[in-house]
């Protein structure tokens, strides 16, 4: 099962290549793009141990000169200090404007590598090789890069599109169960915002909480349809001028929960799941979405083994305050992505704060 999805953009289009064992084709794929010979491979120690040598072998076989760097895993290391380490290694290895940084890892590695590539020498090539389900279906695609500020997630960043996204579904076999479930949150998101057929296919699956219970054919469908959804949206709105904001469904309250728990208690997918439950209920309270649809969404979130309640001890007033630091705030008003039917959402800043509080208190 091999699929190639095009992300069509005015300045730099690229391919998302999905194929089993494609990690071994990394060097060959990059050579076809006629990139410079110097490559900096960025990963974390766990991922590097599993896949680093395979990636380096593929790159050196294709004639690339490869340096590597590992950064600690976890959202709390997604900081400017980590970026400084990448700059130091880029300088040490004399990376040039034609050089490439390759992100081998999940969303944190992908975001940091992309940001370092966007800012080194005012922008060099980046190739995304995602190793988590969440990165495969979401963060590796679309060119959003960045790091966290102590007071908010991804407040520092840049749009910098990759030259290639290479997805090898076989690497998911080493993914911890919790990380697999986190990725399913973003997959469910695409079903709600864009692809009712994908939503129905997820509903038809008996279990979504572990890779071993999901048939390879469904995994391929999940990857293909999710990537296609992201590619469609990004192709229409590269820098979030309008439509692209729908990709933030569940992220408004989700990001607040992540930052308030210090990126330690819940991971990104878990936070998005909580945020989707909240957004769905807000839409119900505003009369925009039928109650039975929010029940279908929440049942799917639970089937994927994801939380539907706020973590114990999170202060609702602090969530309300944190929403004001969200990147999507415009003229002081928080913008929410809210569903109107399965597969269709709208963006609005007309959500009364008492409704937000009421919904959060009910969680």
């Amino acid at each position: 099962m091999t699929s190639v999805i095009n992300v069509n953009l005015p300045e730099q289009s690229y391919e998302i290549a999905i194929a089993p064992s494609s990690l071994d084709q990394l060097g060959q794929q990059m050579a076809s793009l006629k990139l410079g010979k110097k490559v900096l491979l960025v990963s974390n120690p766990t991922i590097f141990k599993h896949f680093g040598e395979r990636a380096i072998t593929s790159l050196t076989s294709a004639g690339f000169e490869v340096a590597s760097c590992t950064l600690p895993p976890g959202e709390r290391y997604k900081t400017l200090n980590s970026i400084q380490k990448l700059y130091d290694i880029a300088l040490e290895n004399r990376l040039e404007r034609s050089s490439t940084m390759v992100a081998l890892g999940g969303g944190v590695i992908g975001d940091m590598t992309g940001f370092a590539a966007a800012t080194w020498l005012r922008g060099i090539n980046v190739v995304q090789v995602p190793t988590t389900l969440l990165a495969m279906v979401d963060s590796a695609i679309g060119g959003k890069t960045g790091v966290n500020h102590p007071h908010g997630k991804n407040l520092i960043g840049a749009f910098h599109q990759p030259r290639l996204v290479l997805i090898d579904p076989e690497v998911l076999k080493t993914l911890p169960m919790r990380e697999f479930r986190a990725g399913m949150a973003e997959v469910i998101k695409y079903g709600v915002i864009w692809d009712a057929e994908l939503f129905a296919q997820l509903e038809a699956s008996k279990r979504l909480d572990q890779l071993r219970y999901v048939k390879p054919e469904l995994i391929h469908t999940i990857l293909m349809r999710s990537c296609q959804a992201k590619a469609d949206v990004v192709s229409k709105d590269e820098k979030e001028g309008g439509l692209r904001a729908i990709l933030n469904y569940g992220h408004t309250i989700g990001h607040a929960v992540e930052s308030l728990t210090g990126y330690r208690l819940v991971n990104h997918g878990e936070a998005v799941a909580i945020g989707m439950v909240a957004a769905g209920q807000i839409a119900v309270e505003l009369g925009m979405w039928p109650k039975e649809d929010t029940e279908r969404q929440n049942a799917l979130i639970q089937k994927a083994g994801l939380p539907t309640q706020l973590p114990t001890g999170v202060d609702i007033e602090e969530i309300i305050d944190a929403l004001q630091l969200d990147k999507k705030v415009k003229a002081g008003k928080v913008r929410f992505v809210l569903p109107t039917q399965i597969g269709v959402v709208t963006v609005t800043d007309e959500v009364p704060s008492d409704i937000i509080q009421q919904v959060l208190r009910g969680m």
Side-chain angles (χ1 to χ4, degrees):
M1 289 179 284
T2 303
S3 295
V4 175
I5 294 162
N6 291 302
V7 183
N8 298 309
L9 298 170
E11 286 183 26
Q12 185 176 289
S13 297
Y14 55 94
E15 289 184 346
I16 305 165
I18 307 168
S21 301
S22 56
L23 181 58
D24 299 313
Q25 307 302 314
L26 173 62
Q28 198 178 320
Q29 291 263 26
M30 284 177 55
S32 70
L33 298 172
K34 299 189 166 42
L35 306 173
K37 291 295 177 194
K38 289 188 177 182
V39 168
L40 173 57
L41 179 74
V42 185
S43 193
N44 72 39
T46 307
I47 299 298
F48 191 85
K49 186 176 161 190
H50 284 305
F51 308 115
E53 288 308 317
R54 275 177 68 190
I56 290 170
T57 299
S58 180
L59 288 163
T60 52
S61 299
F64 290 101
E65 299 167 23
V66 186
S68 64
C69 170
T70 57
L71 298 172
E75 195 77 35
R76 64 185 180 275
Y77 294 105
K78 194 172 152 186
T79 63
L80 288 171
N81 284 342
S82 295
I83 298 297
Q84 182 65 50
K85 185 176 177 185
L86 291 184
Y87 292 153
D88 291 345
I89 294 173
L91 181 64
E92 196 181 306
N93 289 278
R94 302 287 187 265
L95 259 62
E96 303 159 355
R97 284 224 166 121
S98 63
S99 303
T100 306
M101 291 190 187
V102 175
L104 177 69
V108 171
I109 289 294
D111 280 6
M112 287 198 292
T113 307
F115 183 62
T119 47
W120 183 252
L121 305 179
R122 297 194 177 93
I124 67 171
N125 302 307
V126 65
V127 167
Q128 295 282 355
V129 186
T131 59
T132 66
L133 180 60
L134 195 149
M136 288 176 182
V137 300
D138 191 66
S139 59
I141 305 160
K144 270 192 179 179
T145 72
V147 294
N148 299 330
H149 185 276
H151 295 294
K153 187 176 161 89
N154 293 334
L155 292 177
I156 305 156
F159 285 97
H160 189 58
Q161 299 293 344
R163 297 297 306 275
L164 168 71
V165 179
L166 189 73
I167 296 174
D168 183 346
E170 289 183 355
V171 306
L172 292 173
K173 289 172 185 169
T174 63
L175 193 64
M177 280 188 284
R178 188 181 180 193
E179 292 299 327
F180 179 76
R181 293 194 291 267
M184 286 306 306
E186 295 284 359
V187 174
I188 293 166
K189 175 194 82 175
Y190 287 119
V192 176
I193 70 170
W194 196 256
D195 190 341
E197 189 179 325
L198 173 61
F199 191 94
Q201 286 180 292
L202 295 173
E203 282 186 308
S205 181
K206 282 187 181 171
R207 288 185 67 167
L208 295 170
D209 58 327
Q210 293 182 41
L211 177 66
R212 61 183 168 150
Y213 296 121
V214 185
K215 292 177 181 174
E217 296 79 20
L218 181 57
I219 289 293
H220 187 78
T221 299
I222 282 169
L223 292 172
M224 190 179 65
R225 294 191 79 101
S226 300
C227 291
Q228 188 66 63
K230 180 96 185 240
D232 288 346
V233 172
V234 170
S235 295
K236 290 181 172 72
D237 178 16
E238 182 181 356
K239 296 189 177 175
E240 210 167 289
L243 176 69
R244 187 167 175 166
I246 71 171
L247 295 171
N248 292 307
Y249 179 58
H251 288 58
T252 307
I253 285 169
H255 279 169
V257 170
E258 272 187 282
S259 60
L260 288 173
T261 54
Y263 305 108
R264 285 179 166 88
L265 191 60
V266 294
N267 63 30
H268 179 64
E270 291 162 352
V272 168
I274 293 164
M276 288 193 290
V277 172
Q281 190 57 38
I282 288 170
V284 170
E285 297 296 335
L286 294 174
M288 297 170 61
W289 205 30
K291 192 168 187 293
E292 54 267 30
D293 280 354
T294 195
E295 286 168 356
R296 285 175 66 195
Q297 171 196 259
N298 296 354
L300 206 48
I301 288 168
Q302 287 174 321
K303 189 196 281 188
L306 290 158
T308 56
Q309 304 286 319
L310 285 171
T312 308
V314 175
D315 186 275
I316 287 167
E317 290 304 323
E318 285 187 356
I319 294 178
I320 303 290
D321 290 343
L323 294 179
Q324 288 299 324
L325 291 171
D326 192 272
K327 300 185 299 301
K328 298 171 287 300
V329 168
K330 201 170 183 180
K333 286 187 169 185
V334 181
R335 288 191 299 161
F336 278 90
V337 183
L338 300 177
T340 54
Q341 63 186 73
I342 300 290
V344 182
V345 288
T346 188
V347 182
T348 179
D349 59 9
E350 299 297 326
V351 181
S353 59
D354 59 324
I355 294 284
I356 302 171
Q357 289 190 16
Q358 178 190 324
V359 167
L360 292 174
R361 285 203 179 94
M363 294 178 65

